[in-house]
Structures are given as structure tokens and as C-alpha cells.
Amino acid sequence: MKQYLSLLIIACFSLTIVNAQNYNITDMDLKLTSEWDKTFPKSDRVNHKKVTFVNRYGITLSADMYSPMNAEEPLPAIAVCGPFGAVKEQCAGLYAQEMAERGFIALAFDPSFTGESGGYPRYMTSPDINTEDFSAAVDYLVTNPSVNPEAVGVIGICGWGGLAINAAAADPRIKATVASTMYDMSRVSANGYFDSADTPSDRDRLRSALAAQRTEDFRNGTPAPDGGVPDELPENAPKYLHDYFDYYKTPRGYHPRSLNSNGGRNATSPIPWINFPLMSRADEIKNAVMIVHGEKAHSFYFGSDAYKKLSVTPGQDNNKLLMVIPGASHTDLYDRKDIIPFDALVRFFNEYLR
């Protein structure tokens, strides 16, 4: 019986490999933009190149790799992603380029199903696969001869801040984590903004609506989008929606591949987030974590509550940090270089990656 079970496991594993290889045939046809199409100017102090790598689910991810000029290798490295619904040509690329100017190799990547990365259907999200995307970026960095494999960290912005913390809880190769202006996407999906819909009956109504949308998507043969930031702000729109509009819908941050700037992710995307809380193992992270949040950000409660879940590692009294930026809003930490505390980020990564 054991022999037959072993053969079955081997057969299933082999089939998984074949299917993954076949899946990558589609992803290998990725169209990578050759020109500079970022929302920020190109620095003359860093090298830049496009790279690709494959995650554990066989999805090919596209990334921009920034490295300091004339630096002595191997170097510490940082994988960067976010915000949720953005692409690497926006905030992630800005953070990566700034960190490369300060002596780090930095990899800004598009998550699965988004931007120049592979994965089908398009514009889908997943707490598991998107957490895996961070670890796949770490795979690429720790095997790169230009990188010190013992000195790799991550930066997650907005919704990818919560995913960065989730990745750090799962992957001890991540020696230092920064969550900037973070969202907990599982919490906001399940509970609504400010936990205003945090009851079983609220979630039942949400599940029913999502289930009905699934039925429609199946009938139509294509997933419906849920809409990104609106082209016109409704009357009495909350300030945070004004902030998002000012970034995603203006020349400041608009990008044609950005979900938030355009049609948004698939309407059924919240389904898995409702049942898979990102912060469930945050207290078990032994490596360093720094949460950076604006004092005036509508999302501040995500960052402050995530910080309360972190446990200081014995013998490292300061390896869990919360940095509050006075007067800053949520989107100020997207691209306001006079507000984003890059010097503090450098000190943090220098301490834990050098």
C-alpha cells in the first residue's frame, strides 16, 4: 500500500511540474516595456534593468532592478511592491530607485496577474499568491551573485505593507521588513473601513453578493472589474478618496497599467481575503520590522494595530518599530520625497542587513 501511495504522490508531483511548465509557456510571452515609462524621473546615479523570475505557482513576474553605480558587490538587497492596485512604475519603483541611490540593490516588481507580470485571469488578487510573490522576489535576490544572500529585506507599501508582514512571518530569509502607510487587506475586506461592517450578518451579505457575482462571471465567461478610483469624485467624497484621486487620476501618479488608475481588480477578488487574516502569525516574526505611517492617514489604525501584534525578539529590544510621520496623510507616503523618511529607512536596513 505504501508503495502505491508513493507512486501516486510522485505521479501527482510530476503532473504539477508539467502543468507549471505549460503555464509558463503563456507567461514567457510577456511584453516588457523598453522605454522609461515611470511616474518619476530616472536617476543618473543608479543602474536600471528589466528582469523576470518565476514564483512557486509557475507565474512569471516582471521587475525593475535598480543598483548603485560603482558599488562594491555583493550588496544588501530589498524587494519592493505596492500599493495594492498599483504597478512598479509608480510608488514601488520610486522607493526602489531611492534606496539604490543609498547603496542597496532594489527590486520593484509587479505582482501576479498585474502590470507586466504573468498570471491569468488578469487583475486577480490572492493573500497566498501575493505573499508568495514577495518570497519569489527573495528567491531571485538570494541567488543573484550581486547580492549578499544573508542581507535581504522587503518594503511593502499600502496593501502590500500587510503582505510584507505576512511574508516576513512565513519566510525567515527576509531579515528586515518595512511596511509603509500599510493596509491590512484581509481586515478591510472582511470588516469594512474602520471595522464598520464587522458582524456575521454584514459578512453574510458580502458573501452573497460575491457569490452572485461569481455566477454572473461564469455565465459571461469573463470576470467583471470592480472599478478603480472613479474618474469623477462623488459629492461628499471622503478625504481619503480625494487623496487617491489626486494620485491615481492626475499626472502625479497616473499610469495606464495601474488597476487603481483604471478599471480596478476583479470584482470577486475580496473572496479569499475575508477568510485568510494576514496578521495571524505576525507575533512570531523574529526578524526586524518597521512600520511607517502618517499621523493623519485614514489607514493609521492598520499600522498601529499591526505594530501591537509584533513581539520584540529577545536580545533585540529595538527590532520592532513604529514610526509616525507628523501631519502626513496616507498618500503622502506614496511619493512625497520630502515626507517619506528615507534616511530612517536606510538606518533601519543598515542595522539589520549590513
Side-chain angles (χ1 to χ4, degrees), residues 27 30 32 51-55 59-63 109-114 116-119 129 132-134 136-137:
D27 278 357
L30 299 180
L32 305 184
V51 302
T52 60
F53 51 92
V54 181
N55 73 12
I59 300 172
T60 302
L61 303 183
S62 170
F109 65 91
D110 280 333
S112 296
F113 316 110
T114 304
E116 293 185 317
S117 286
I129 295 174
E132 159 63 20
D133 289 341
F134 259 129

Side-chain angles (χ1 to χ4, degrees), residues 53-75:
F53 51 92
V54 181
N55 73 12
R56 193 165 53 91
Y57 293 100
I59 300 172
T60 302
L61 303 183
S62 170
D64 288 303
M65 188 169 180
Y66 300 85
S67 57
M69 290 184 176
N70 305 316
E72 185 176 344
E73 298 176 345
L75 293 171

Side-chain angles (χ1 to χ4, degrees), residues 160-170 177 179 182 278-279 282 285 289 291 306 310:
W160 280 81
L163 284 159
I165 292 174
N166 204 48
T177 300
M182 69 160 282
L278 291 179
M279 298 296 140
I285 301 173
V289 179
I291 296 174
L310 301 174

Side-chain angles (χ1 to χ4, degrees), residues 76-81 95 99 104-107 109 130-139 141-142 151-157 160-169 171 173-180 285 287-291 345 348-349 352-353:
I78 303 166
V80 190
C81 196
Y95 271 69
M99 295 308 290
F104 300 85
I105 289 176
L107 189 73
F109 65 91
N130 292 148
T131 298
E132 159 63 20
D133 289 341
F134 259 129
S135 285
V138 173
D139 292 339
L141 290 172
V142 298
V152 173
V154 299
I155 297 175
I157 307 160
W160 280 81
L163 284 159
I165 292 174
N166 204 48
D171 192 340
R173 299 174 302 171
I174 299 172
K175 297 300 192 295
T177 300
V178 167
S180 179
I285 301 173
N287 290 329
V289 179
M290 179 180 184
I291 296 174
L345 268 58
F348 172 77
F349 283 118
Y352 294 104
L353 297 186

Side-chain angles (χ1 to χ4, degrees), residues 216-245:
E216 284 304 303
D217 288 352
F218 190 83
R219 284 196 180 112
N220 296 332
T222 183
D226 71 348
V229 176
D231 292 332
E232 294 184 9
L233 288 173
E235 291 186 18
N236 302 318
K239 182 183 182 302
Y240 71 83
L241 190 54
H242 281 271
D243 290 343
Y244 284 138
F245 184 93

Side-chain angles (χ1 to χ4, degrees), residues 113 119-125 213-227 263-269:
F113 316 110
Y120 301 90
R122 303 302 292 163
Y123 313 136
M124 188 55 70
T125 66
Q213 185 62 58
R214 283 189 67 139
T215 303
E216 284 304 303
D217 288 352
F218 190 83
R219 284 196 180 112
N220 296 332
T222 183
D226 71 348
R265 63 193 63 84
N266 287 347
T268 57
S269 289

